[in-house]
Amino acid sequence: AQRYVDRPYTVGGKKFDMRLYVLVTSFSPLTVWMHRNGFARFTNTRYNSDKSNINDSYMHLTNHSIQKKAKDHNQELKWGVDGLKLFLMSRHGRGATEILFAEIQDMIVRSLLSVQQTIIQDKHSYELYGYDVLIDSKLKPWLIEVNASPSLTSSSQEDYKIKYDVLSDLVDIIDLEGKMSGEELQVGGFDLVYDGEWIGECISNTIHRSSNNDIGEAALTHGNDSSRSLKGLKQSMIGCRYPSACIDHQGRQNPRRKYRKT
């Protein structure tokens, strides 16, 4: 079943979706790692819901392969998910942003659970998936598609760094050198979110979506305090309740540090 989301969330009037990276190291039991970073892909043209524009691919489709063909193509049509999280926090507050990304984490795990019984398990294999997620104007996430072995070619220096970090952290998790204990809950930018059972609490069982009137609990201040406020927002997301909602900051955790289950 498919449905067109006619009221997407926009930034600067432009539609976008997110590419998020998910590593599955086992389907039996299901073991899911989700990377804290990724990137948002923006359209080249400002969004307009007028039906007369329905055939304008540069307005409705966020695929980089399509957007790069636009005559006035802007090379800076990608934005790191960390930056997007900070933007959403400045507009809607930490609580709404944390709920959004926790629901995305929930959605990703449930999509994998739905196909778990149909995947042939090989204990010597793993798969990196690229999840494409759209957010609507009510901060509700929608799953667009799931890409197996997603493209890892880069279009900018920031894009290169994001994908390099994902691959570097993936190699640490696969642990060909046998240096891991097998009890880690975080490796680089990857968080273990499901290992035969939910790691932590399942968002749909613990929180209810805020009403539209509740969205907007905080905003960035302006003037001399703006940089201080932005830093405060970033720090508040580092230790948040749900891993997928956290900021993958530069002072990253030692990938060999052990995070034991409690």
Side-chain angles (χ1 to χ4, degrees):
Q2 292 182 332
R3 175 180 175 181
Y4 183 76
V5 180
D6 59 350
R7 293 187 178 181
Y9 191 95
T10 60
V11 176
K14 295 185 176 182
K15 183 179 177 180
F16 69 93
D17 73 349
M18 290 185 292
R19 165 60 59 86
L20 302 173
Y21 294 102
V22 176
L23 175 64
V24 178
T25 54
S26 170
F27 271 97
S28 182
L30 181 63
T31 306
V32 183
W33 297 79
M34 186 171 174
H35 208 277
R36 294 187 179 188
N37 214 342
F39 53 86
R41 300 175 294 193
F42 291 84
T43 58
N44 201 67
T45 305
R46 290 177 181 271
Y47 181 76
N48 188 320
S49 59
D50 192 317
K51 292 183 179 179
S52 63
N53 299 314
I54 195 65
N55 293 320
D56 188 345
S57 299
Y58 303 128
M59 178 185 295
H60 294 280
L61 302 180
T62 60
N63 308 59
H64 181 69
S65 58
I66 293 175
Q67 294 298 327
K68 68 180 182 181
K69 297 178 182 178
K71 294 180 179 179
D72 54 346
H73 172 59
N74 183 350
Q75 293 292 337
E76 303 301 322
L77 289 177
K78 287 186 180 180
W79 195 4
V81 167
D82 278 358
L84 178 62
K85 290 174 183 176
L86 290 173
F87 174 84
L88 292 171
M89 284 185 67
S90 72
R91 290 294 183 90
H92 308 293
R94 170 179 172 173
T97 304
E98 188 173 335
I99 288 174
L100 168 63
F101 280 90
E103 288 183 337
I104 291 174
Q105 176 179 307
D106 230 23
M107 179 175 66
I108 288 173
V109 172
R110 292 183 184 280
S111 72
L112 291 167
L113 285 170
S114 71
V115 299
Q116 181 184 15
Q117 301 302 320
T118 65
I119 302 295
I120 299 176
Q121 168 64 14
D122 182 347
K123 65 179 181 179
H124 300 296
S125 65
Y126 61 89
E127 184 66 72
L128 178 68
Y129 294 100
Y131 272 74
D132 293 342
V133 178
L134 180 73
I135 305 171
D136 69 18
S137 58
K138 294 183 179 180
L139 292 186
K140 177 182 178 180
W142 296 81
L143 178 60
I144 300 177
E145 64 179 6
V146 184
N147 300 273
S149 303
S151 171
L152 294 170
T153 56
S154 59
S155 58
S156 67
Q157 190 60 38
E158 181 184 13
D159 194 31
Y160 174 86
K161 184 180 185 307
I162 290 172
K163 293 174 179 177
Y164 178 90
D165 287 345
V166 169
L167 287 176
S168 177
D169 296 338
L170 181 153
V171 171
D172 283 332
I173 292 174
I174 300 307
D175 192 26
L176 297 177
E177 299 172 336
K179 294 183 178 181
M180 293 290 192
S181 71
E183 297 181 347
E184 290 80 5
L185 296 183
Q186 181 185 355
V187 178
F190 275 107
D191 292 291
L192 182 63
V193 297
Y194 195 90
D195 188 12
E197 60 183 8
W198 297 95
I199 304 300
E201 296 178 281
C202 172
I203 182 69
S204 59
N205 293 335
T206 57
I207 326 180
H208 295 286
R209 165 161 296 280
S210 303
S211 67
N212 291 337
N213 293 332
D214 295 330
I215 296 176
E217 61 186 72
L220 281 175
T221 58
H222 300 281
N224 295 333
D225 293 332
S226 60
S227 61
R228 188 184 311 167
S229 299
L230 184 59
K231 182 178 181 181
L233 284 173
K234 188 170 184 178
Q235 288 298 323
S236 71
M237 290 293 280
I238 291 173
C240 57
R241 186 178 180 187
Y242 299 94
S244 61
C246 295
I247 294 291
D248 186 19
H249 52 110
Q250 291 182 351
R252 307 172 78 194
Q253 298 283 5
N254 185 334
R256 298 303 184 192
R257 181 176 174 183
K258 299 175 183 178
Y259 292 78
R260 296 185 179 275
K261 301 178 184 178
T262 58

